[in-house]
């Protein structure tokens, strides 16, 4: 049984997004703590994704595009174009900065996802990996591409992770789909294209369907072509404190990260991009 929540309409530097996580009453699904579904936007509007240098702490960013190309530039010196079927995974740890800009040629449709890092690694070094090819599982009704973690009895992604996690994109042709799940994980479905049915329930873009831990099989019906993200993991160790681009536990560490970004501190390095640096807003708890 899915617990369905409506996504929140938001904007990232002018690009409209459907924010499926976090929502009131649902802060995490496994270690997943942020899910933005952007697009589809036509080619003439795809260059609206121009996000200047901004900092992160305590998370991994996972970028997945169905259409379009996005250039990632970061303070580690990485400069990497991502295309459909690939993953960019950046680990923030104690601090990193990056910029993202979409190429205008091909439209834009995808998801920007964040994974909270556990206490064991969240103060560690930043990192970036580009995964040009990902393992796929062929199913009767389509294919599952594994972004991070592994499918039960199926292939696993080479992406690094530091908390038990699953991220997969299911491209379904229509008909019935069945996939084994790890019952120690909770899961969520976020539909990017089309719609999926689970029993009497229907899930469409703009919503998140949550499946509590204890479920060992996912059975979906798709009346037509559909693309759905399957996100899961072991229930997270803490309720993270998320503010702006920072994931932590206490206000004091968020305040310190904010002050260091605003001061141009070496903690976040510098990003080689013509895009303008994004200043931090004031937290709601500021005096
Ligand atoms: Mn970012």
């Amino acid at each position: 049984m899915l617990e369905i929540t409506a996504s929140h309409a938001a904007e990232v530097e002018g690009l409209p997004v459907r924010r499926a996580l976090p929502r009131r009453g649902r802060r995490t699904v496994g270690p997943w703590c942020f899910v933005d579904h952007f697009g589809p936007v036509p080619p003439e509007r795809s260059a609206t994704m121009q996000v200047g240098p901004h900092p992160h702490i305590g998370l991994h960013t996972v970028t997945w595009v169905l259409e379009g190309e996005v250039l990632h530039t970061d303070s580690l010196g990485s400069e990497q174009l991502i295309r459909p079927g690939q993953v960019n995974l950046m680990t923030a740890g104690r601090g990193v900065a990056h910029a993202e800009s979409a190429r205008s040629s091909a439209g834009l449709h995808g998801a920007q996802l964040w994974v909270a890092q556990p206490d064991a690694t969240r103060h560690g070094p930043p990192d970036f990996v580009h995964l040009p090819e990902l393992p796929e599982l062929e199913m009767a009704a389509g294919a599952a591409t594994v972004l991070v973690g592994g499918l039960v009895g199926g292939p696993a992604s080479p992406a690094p992770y530091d908390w038990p996690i699953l991220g997969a994109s299911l491209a379904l042709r229509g008909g019935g789909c069945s996939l084994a799940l790890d019952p120690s994980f909770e899961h969520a479905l976020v539909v990017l294209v089309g719609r999926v049915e689970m029993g009497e329930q229907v899930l469409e873009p703009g919503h998140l369907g949550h499946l509590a831990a204890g479920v060992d099989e996912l059975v979906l019906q798709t009346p037509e072509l559909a693309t759905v993200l399957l996100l899961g993991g072991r229930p997270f160790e803490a309720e993270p404190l998320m503010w702006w681009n920072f994931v932590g536990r206490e206000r004091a560490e968020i305040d310190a990260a904010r002050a260091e970004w605003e001061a141009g501190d070496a903690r976040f390095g510098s990003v080689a991009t013509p895009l303008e640096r994004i200043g931090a807003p004031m937290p709601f708890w500021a005096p």
Side-chain angles (χ1 to χ4, degrees):
M1 187 73 176
L2 294 171
E3 184 186 310
I4 298 176
T5 50
S7 302
H8 165 68
E11 278 198 2
V12 175
E13 301 295 305
L15 180 73
V17 300
R18 301 170 194 85
R19 184 155 298 154
L21 264 188
R23 303 293 292 130
R24 200 181 308 270
R26 178 145 331 276
R27 312 307 293 179
T28 52
V29 175
W32 299 98
C33 63
F34 182 93
V35 176
D36 265 3
H37 172 198
F38 53 84
V41 298
E44 62 272 17
R45 289 203 54 237
S46 61
T48 50
M49 184 201 241
Q50 300 292 334
V51 185
H54 59 279
H56 288 291
I57 64 169
L59 59 87
H60 311 276
T61 61
V62 178
T63 308
W64 174 247
V65 290
L66 300 178
E67 294 169 45
E69 297 181 342
V70 179
L71 182 69
H72 162 98
T73 318
D74 67 35
S75 55
L76 300 164
S78 319
E79 183 176 302
Q80 182 64 58
L81 193 65
I82 183 176
R83 296 192 168 90
Q86 306 180 333
V87 156
N88 275 354
L89 190 150
M90 183 178 73
T91 298
R94 74 174 86 90
V96 74
H98 72 146
E100 292 154 294
S101 60
R103 296 295 173 89
S104 57
S105 52
L108 187 62
H109 189 196
Q112 179 69 56
L113 312 165
W114 294 358
V115 177
Q117 291 183 266
D119 278 335
T121 61
R122 69 190 185 93
H123 302 293
D127 191 25
F128 174 80
V129 293
H130 173 67
L131 301 161
E133 288 183 34
L134 296 162
E136 278 200 359
L137 177 71
E138 286 297 328
M139 303 180 293
T145 305
V146 189
L147 281 50
V148 54
L151 293 169
V152 174
S157 165
Y161 62 89
D162 46 20
W163 185 264
I165 189 171
L166 171 64
S169 182
L170 314 181
L172 304 172
R173 289 189 286 263
C177 162
S178 156
L179 203 58
L181 298 179
D182 181 336
S184 73
F185 283 15
E186 59 178 331
H187 294 86
L189 296 171
V190 178
V191 177
L192 303 181
V193 175
R195 65 192 176 105
V196 300
E197 299 168 3
M198 203 174 107
E200 301 285 292
Q201 296 183 290
V202 177
L203 194 68
E204 296 183 308
H207 297 81
L208 178 143
H210 181 258
L211 271 175
V215 177
D216 62 7
E217 189 184 22
L218 178 70
V219 180
L220 297 176
Q221 294 289 327
T222 50
E224 56 200 49
L225 286 179
T227 303
V228 56
L229 284 177
L230 171 63
L231 306 173
R234 184 189 298 164
F236 197 56
E237 64 182 12
E239 179 164 308
L241 174 60
M242 294 176 56
W243 178 79
W244 195 45
N245 293 305
F246 302 136
V247 176
R249 302 291 183 273
E250 310 287 340
R251 288 180 180 183
E253 58 187 313
I254 304 287
D255 286 337
R258 180 190 182 282
E260 284 159 344
W261 173 250
E262 290 301 289
D265 189 271
R267 175 176 181 177
F268 295 107
S270 64
V271 184
T273 171
L275 294 172
E276 200 174 325
R277 189 177 197 281
I278 300 176
M282 291 302 293
F284 69 86
W285 60 80

